[in-house]
Amino acid sequence: MKPIASPDPHLPESCAPSLDLERFLPYRLSVLSERISGAIARLYQERFDLTIPEWRVLAIIGRFGPVTATEVGQRTAMDKVRVSRAIARLVEHGRLAQSEDATDRRRKRLAFTRAGAAIYAEVVPLARAVEADVLASLDPATRSALDAVLTALEAAPLPTAQDRADHSP
Amino acid sequence: MKPIASPDPHLPESCAPSLDLERFLPYRLSVLSERISGAIARLYQERFDLTIPEWRVLAIIGRFGPVTATEVGQRTAMDKVRVSRAIARLVEHGRLAQSEDATDRRRKRLAFTRAGAAIYAEVVPLARAVEADVLASLDPATRSALDAVLTALEAAPLPTAQDRADHSP
DNA sequence: CGAGAATAGTTACAAATGAAACCAATCGCA
DNA sequence: TGCGATTGGTTTCATTTGTAACTATTCTCG
């Protein structure tokens, strides 16, 4: 792995100031998220055969009680297909029960089965513990800045395709 | 969408303190990352037909010059399959040129073609601009805390499966 | 009422991804 | 040397995911 003189590799040097990926916010977020979510996911995947979308559904039902698929979607930033599939799997595994919504027969109300509630009760402390571990490794100042940073980023407006459609010569 | 009294949905209330997903660090990171990376990705996807893995490869070559696939992998936190495929597509599209490495015939050295360099030169300012927009929406204190927070999180140790294998009754 | 628009949720199909198997070339060392 | 282990990179297969089309039900308003 020895650096070799380049023959003529079309260097863009002059015009483009060469971006440093490791400092690039979206990249950092992506890697970080993949690392942390991935680690936790692997944890409850192995233990409970639970995927991330499934865990999110459980989390919503655990917090808000019986809900519809649409409501889950709104609260989890997942699209309806992903939600639908997570629910299907949870039902298959006997962790959720669907009941007809009397007032609207398109909807299905989702509630824990006993098994689902049991898993939820096991997963929550596990999740909390992992998060606590991560937070514990931050020094107090950083830890207290964390929430503000995330909240601010969450509120940040994002460019849409049109925004930057063409403002160039 | 009217909340209805639950028949008997196995509420775990007592034992599990009901975790709030919206405050849960891994969830927040995941949604945030998806939102920001997604927005940017859509931007250069539409304009240049460039995927995120491809953009990462370009970024590494733009910064470090001709490299091998393995090196790209090390610098981008992507596994070799993903790197391999990104490179294959870039080569197909005439954006990268592969040349045999004289000292090790397994390796292929990757360099921009003229077209690749041109795209890189266009994408970098675009990426920078989007990042700048996001950062600009943070107040100075938060913005200055951002880097420290990310750096700390990146350094945080993560639980492996064994770590939490069994420390229970 | 009743036809068309909207909504809840599922299905179908294509593209992205990851794990493991796989080739080929190189290294390590007896 | 030369043979087994290692490394660079690709291919295969199963899983995941997203887009778009689809079904069924409810809403809207003439």
Side-chain angles (χ1 to χ4, degrees), chain A residues 29-50:
Chain A
L29 280 176
S30 170
V31 172
L32 199 50
S33 159
E34 154 60 27
R35 217 172 76 92
I36 296 186
S37 290
I40 297 193
R42 240 159 284 135
L43 222 57
Y44 46 62
Q45 196 116 28
E46 285 170 14
R47 290 224 199 163
F48 308 108
D49 184 28
L50 208 60

Side-chain angles (χ1 to χ4, degrees), chain A residues 28 35 47 133 156 164, chain B residues 35 47 133 147 156 164:
Chain A
R28 295 178 82 179
R35 217 172 76 92
R47 290 224 199 163
D133 277 3
R164 314 202 151 269
Chain B
R35 217 172 77 91
R47 290 224 200 163
D133 278 2
D147 185 70
R164 313 202 151 268

Side-chain angles (χ1 to χ4, degrees), chain A residues 4 10 15-16 31 42 45-47 55 60 62-63 78 81 89 104-105 110 112-113 125 130 135 139 143 148:
Chain A
I4 302 164
H10 301 284
C15 19
V31 172
R42 240 159 284 135
Q45 196 116 28
E46 285 170 14
R47 290 224 199 163
W55 147 243
I60 293 305
R63 176 137 178 77
M78 299 194 292
V81 180
R89 223 176 93 94
D104 185 339
R105 274 181 307 181
L110 304 161
F112 284 147
T113 59
V130 173
L135 293 179
D139 64 273
R143 183 162 53 246

Side-chain angles (χ1 to χ4, degrees), chain B residues 55-86:
Chain B
W55 147 244
R56 288 186 183 173
V57 173
L58 293 189
I60 293 305
I61 295 179
R63 175 137 178 78
F64 299 105
V67 291
T68 67
T70 303
E71 200 173 338
V72 169
Q74 291 161 346
R75 293 187 185 280
T76 57
M78 300 194 289
D79 63 288
K80 35 193 220 156
V81 180
R82 210 149 143 221
V83 170
S84 172
R85 290 199 263 238

Side-chain angles (χ1 to χ4, degrees), chain B:
Chain B
M1 198 169 291
K2 161 193 348 176
I4 302 165
S6 354
D8 178 13
H10 300 286
L11 302 174
E13 307 292 350
S14 45
C15 19
S18 163
L19 180 143
D20 188 348
L21 202 57
E22 275 140 52
R23 294 239 127 63
F24 188 52
L25 179 63
Y27 173 75
R28 296 178 83 180
L29 281 177
S30 170
V31 172
L32 200 51
S33 161
E34 154 61 28
R35 217 172 77 91
I36 297 187
S37 290
I40 298 193
R42 240 160 282 134
L43 221 58
Y44 47 63
Q45 196 117 27
E46 285 168 15
R47 290 224 200 163
F48 308 107
D49 183 27
L50 209 60
T51 66
I52 291 184
E54 287 176 88
W55 147 244
R56 288 186 183 173
V57 173
L58 293 189
I60 293 305
I61 295 179
R63 175 137 178 78
F64 299 105
V67 291
T68 67
T70 303
E71 200 173 338
V72 169
Q74 291 161 346
R75 293 187 185 280
T76 57
M78 300 194 289
D79 63 288
K80 35 193 220 156
V81 180
R82 210 149 143 221
V83 170
S84 172
R85 290 199 263 238
I87 290 172
R89 222 177 93 95
L90 286 167
V91 170
E92 268 176 35
H93 287 43
R95 290 162 174 181
L96 284 189
Q98 294 175 318
S99 59
E100 302 280 324
D101 182 323
T103 78
D104 186 339
R105 275 181 305 180
R106 289 169 305 182
R107 296 184 196 157
K108 298 175 187 170
R109 283 163 33 79
L110 304 161
F112 285 146
T113 59
R114 188 168 300 280
I119 290 199
Y120 176 75
E122 274 199 87
V123 173
V124 167
L126 188 63
R128 282 186 186 291
V130 173
E131 183 190 42
D133 278 2
V134 171
L135 294 178
S137 80
L138 308 185
D139 65 90
T142 307
R143 183 161 55 246
S144 74
L146 176 60
D147 185 70
V149 166
L150 292 181
T151 303
L153 284 177
E154 281 158 2
L158 285 184
T160 65
Q162 305 97 336
D163 280 357
R164 313 202 151 268
D166 60 359
H167 57 70
S168 52

Side-chain angles (χ1 to χ4, degrees), chain A residues 50 53-70 72 78 82-100 108-120, chain B residues 8-12:
Chain A
L50 208 60
E54 287 176 88
W55 147 243
R56 288 185 184 175
V57 172
L58 294 189
I60 293 305
I61 295 179
R63 176 137 178 77
F64 298 105
V67 290
T68 67
T70 303
V72 170
M78 299 194 292
R82 211 151 141 218
V83 171
S84 173
R85 289 198 266 236
I87 290 171
R89 223 176 93 94
L90 286 167
V91 171
E92 268 176 37
H93 286 45
R95 290 161 174 182
L96 284 189
Q98 294 176 316
S99 60
E100 302 279 323
K108 298 175 188 170
R109 282 161 35 78
L110 304 161
F112 284 147
T113 59
R114 189 170 298 280
I119 289 199
Y120 176 76
Chain B
D8 178 13
H10 300 286
L11 302 174

Side-chain angles (χ1 to χ4, degrees), chain A residues 145-167:
Chain A
L146 176 60
D147 185 71
V149 166
L150 292 181
T151 303
L153 284 177
E154 282 159 0
L158 285 184
T160 65
Q162 304 98 336
D163 281 356
R164 314 202 151 269
D166 60 0
H167 58 71

